[in-house]
Amino acid sequence: MELLYVVLLAAGGVPAALLLLLVLGVIYYDFTWTKIPPEFDQPLKLRVIYWGGLVAFTLGKICESLGICRQVDFISFSMSFMTARLDPSLFAKDLLFDGVPVRVYQPKAPSAGQRKGMVLIHGGAGMVGSIDFYQDICNRIAKEADVVLVAIGYGLSPEHLYPSQYKQCLAATAHFLQNAEIYGVDPSQVIIFGDSAGGNFTSVVAQQLTKRPDLPKLRAQALIYACVQAMDFNLPSYVQNANMLLMGRETALYFCLRYLTKDTALKDDLLRGFHVPDDFRLKYRKWVSVDNIPEKLKRGHQQVPLAPYKPEVYKQFPEMLEETFSSLFAEDRIIKELPETFIVSCEYDVFRDDSLLYKKRLEDCGVKVRWFHAEQGFHGVLNFADKGPFTFPAGVEIVDRIIDFVNSL
């Protein structure tokens, strides 16, 4: 180890040596604090991805502390190196839909009639992510499902504060529905989909569109490991995957608070449930219950009661329980108007049970739901559906299932 340090110091100087120390520290942290279940098929590949992400996360934090740039900007910069080229069978054009940046992907091959349309709302905790980062996914879906696909480049926090993300996505989607025929799309055949935070925004946009009788109705929505409630962070999936790589429970709470520009020191209060008023617990406990989780996924889990309500904690982030943040809590009259829905959950994902709770809620209100559970899936796996040696079969299968769902409509 000493010899390697000397070699690096001579070859690249102090920066290389410090980077080596950071990488070694990240690896030590990984094996000390994280946990990959023994049933997971490709642990080393996932660890390498995690190491890269944690290095970027840490370097971003250092840059932020030194006043060089913000942490989220550094992470976004790091992600920009993973952009795919446009598929040669597609046209792509960057436009503004009601002032919101979008990229429209269209197959070059002529169509006998109007095509279906899709709207993608990307993930990234509302703070990172971009159209470019999702171009590989857009390429494949637009090509293989033969659709016109609109990817929305909504503004990120903290420049654009909640709830501007969903509002921008709603504005862009409404514009597309109104002008679908210009792009050769049947306005009655538009599907909206998103992953992670993008899945949350998708669910909110779909709900808001039920209040717009002036617009064509959505044909369907697809929610990929969406987070849809901020009431209980002790559901089975949050406990089972608390220390999972890429998105553990504390990481999820950290990004949630950063997105809302709140003090991240409050994550323990959030975890214990101090923020949930008593009347809210009484009204919505039937929807946030382990009774709605399949037995095989509970694995003997016993529901952890929320800690006593503290009004001073609730006042720190009341928006977290609003339906425009926690879409699970929309009223029945809204849920009943939602279109056919495709839900994807992943076994090794803290948000797995959010997907299952929303699935149950939709079914109870008479909404047609199709569900796919990725047994080897983890949070973010969609972004590793076409990443060369870092491709995961679960990511490939999720994209396959999305395409199958669209083709079946």
Side-chain angles (χ1 to χ4, degrees):
M1 181 63 70
E2 291 180 1
L3 178 60
L4 180 58
Y5 179 84
V6 171
V7 170
L8 275 173
L9 192 61
V14 174
L18 292 177
L19 182 59
L20 171 64
L21 291 176
L22 175 58
V23 171
L24 292 176
V26 161
I27 294 173
Y28 174 77
Y29 175 87
D30 175 18
F31 282 98
T32 303
W33 296 103
T34 63
K35 180 181 179 182
I36 298 181
E39 299 83 8
F40 187 74
D41 281 347
Q42 298 177 302
L44 180 59
K45 184 189 294 188
L46 185 59
R47 286 194 186 280
V48 172
I49 292 170
Y50 179 67
W51 297 341
L54 197 53
V55 166
F57 182 90
T58 306
L59 287 175
K61 191 67 175 177
I62 293 171
C63 289
E64 187 171 83
S65 299
L66 295 175
I68 298 172
C69 69
R70 294 175 312 159
Q71 183 185 42
V72 292
D73 292 333
F74 187 88
I75 293 172
S76 295
F77 171 74
S78 303
M79 293 169 67
S80 68
F81 291 98
M82 300 174 67
T83 301
R85 294 181 179 180
L86 177 67
D87 189 283
S89 69
L90 302 172
F91 292 114
K93 189 171 184 178
D94 292 333
L95 301 169
L96 292 176
F97 279 7
D98 199 9
V100 181
V102 301
R103 182 171 297 163
V104 180
Y105 296 85
Q106 294 178 281
K108 290 180 179 178
S111 175
Q114 291 180 316
R115 287 186 164 97
K116 294 172 185 172
M118 293 190 73
V119 175
L120 166 66
I121 304 177
H122 69 75
M127 296 183 294
V128 296
S130 65
I131 295 173
D132 286 340
F133 188 66
Y134 278 71
Q135 183 146 280
D136 56 340
I137 297 166
C138 295
N139 278 341
R140 185 156 174 237
I141 294 177
K143 179 181 178 179
E144 297 188 22
D146 191 36
V147 297
V148 175
L149 190 151
V150 176
I152 301 177
Y154 57 86
L156 302 173
S157 180
E159 287 84 6
H160 301 265
L161 299 177
Y162 167 86
S164 68
Q165 284 72 33
Y166 97 77
K167 288 186 175 180
Q168 291 177 56
C169 294
L170 176 60
T173 303
H175 179 94
F176 185 50
L177 287 168
Q178 289 171 324
N179 298 279
E181 294 191 39
I182 296 175
Y183 302 95
V185 170
D186 180 346
S188 70
Q189 294 294 312
V190 174
I191 304 104
I192 185 171
F193 77 111
D195 68 307
S196 189
N200 172 281
F201 302 148
T202 297
S203 67
V204 173
V205 168
Q207 291 178 4
Q208 294 298 311
L209 286 172
T210 66
K211 306 171 186 178
R212 294 287 303 273
D214 57 310
L215 296 174
K217 290 185 177 181
L218 289 174
R219 176 63 182 86
Q221 64 173 338
L223 309 177
I224 318 302
Y225 42 74
C227 39
V228 296
Q229 62 86 30
M231 174 175 165
D232 191 344
F233 298 102
N234 287 288
L235 294 166
S237 62
Y238 286 92
V239 175
Q240 293 162 8
N241 297 299
N243 298 312
M244 184 61 180
L245 275 67
L246 299 190
M247 186 61 74
R249 180 167 59 177
E250 291 219 357
T251 305
L253 295 177
Y254 173 84
F255 280 118
C256 178
L257 290 167
R258 282 294 300 263
Y259 165 60
L260 293 173
T261 65
K262 306 295 184 181
D263 183 359
T264 56
L266 293 168
K267 66 177 183 293
D268 289 335
D269 290 337
L270 197 60
L271 176 61
R272 296 186 62 187
F274 288 127
H275 64 298
V276 186
D278 293 331
D279 58 341
F280 194 93
R281 302 175 190 212
L282 184 63
K283 181 176 181 179
Y284 296 110
R285 64 185 179 185
K286 64 181 178 180
W287 295 335
V288 187
S289 169
V290 294
D291 294 338
N292 297 329
I293 309 298
E295 287 296 330
K296 69 175 184 177
L297 297 179
K298 292 182 193 177
R299 303 193 191 98
H301 176 89
Q302 297 297 316
Q303 188 154 8
V304 179
L306 298 175
Y309 171 54
K310 291 185 177 181
E312 65 273 20
V313 177
Y314 169 75
K315 290 177 182 177
Q316 295 289 330
F317 27 70
E319 60 269 61
M320 295 187 78
L321 298 176
E322 296 172 352
E323 66 179 49
T324 51
F325 189 92
S326 293
S327 53
L328 180 67
F329 304 133
E331 296 298 326
D332 282 353
R333 60 183 175 80
I334 299 296
I335 299 293
K336 289 178 180 178
E337 294 298 318
L338 289 172
E340 184 173 347
T341 302
F342 178 52
I343 289 178
V344 172
S345 58
C346 289
E347 179 63 27
Y348 304 110
D349 178 17
V350 290
F351 298 123
R352 180 197 70 200
D353 293 349
D354 282 36
S355 295
L356 300 177
L357 294 177
Y358 202 57
K359 171 180 177 289
K360 179 70 162 56
R361 183 83 208 283
L362 293 174
E363 290 173 337
D364 286 351
C365 286
V367 177
K368 184 177 179 180
V369 178
R370 295 190 227 178
W371 171 46
F372 171 63
H373 183 62
E375 297 286 351
Q376 288 293 318
F378 55 88
H379 197 81
V381 71
L382 180 68
N383 296 112
F384 297 95
D386 185 17
K387 288 294 187 288
F390 295 107
T391 296
F392 283 83
V396 176
E397 188 168 13
I398 289 173
V399 177
D400 287 342
R401 294 299 183 106
I402 294 171
I403 293 169
D404 289 345
F405 173 68
V406 173
N407 288 336
S408 71
L409 296 174

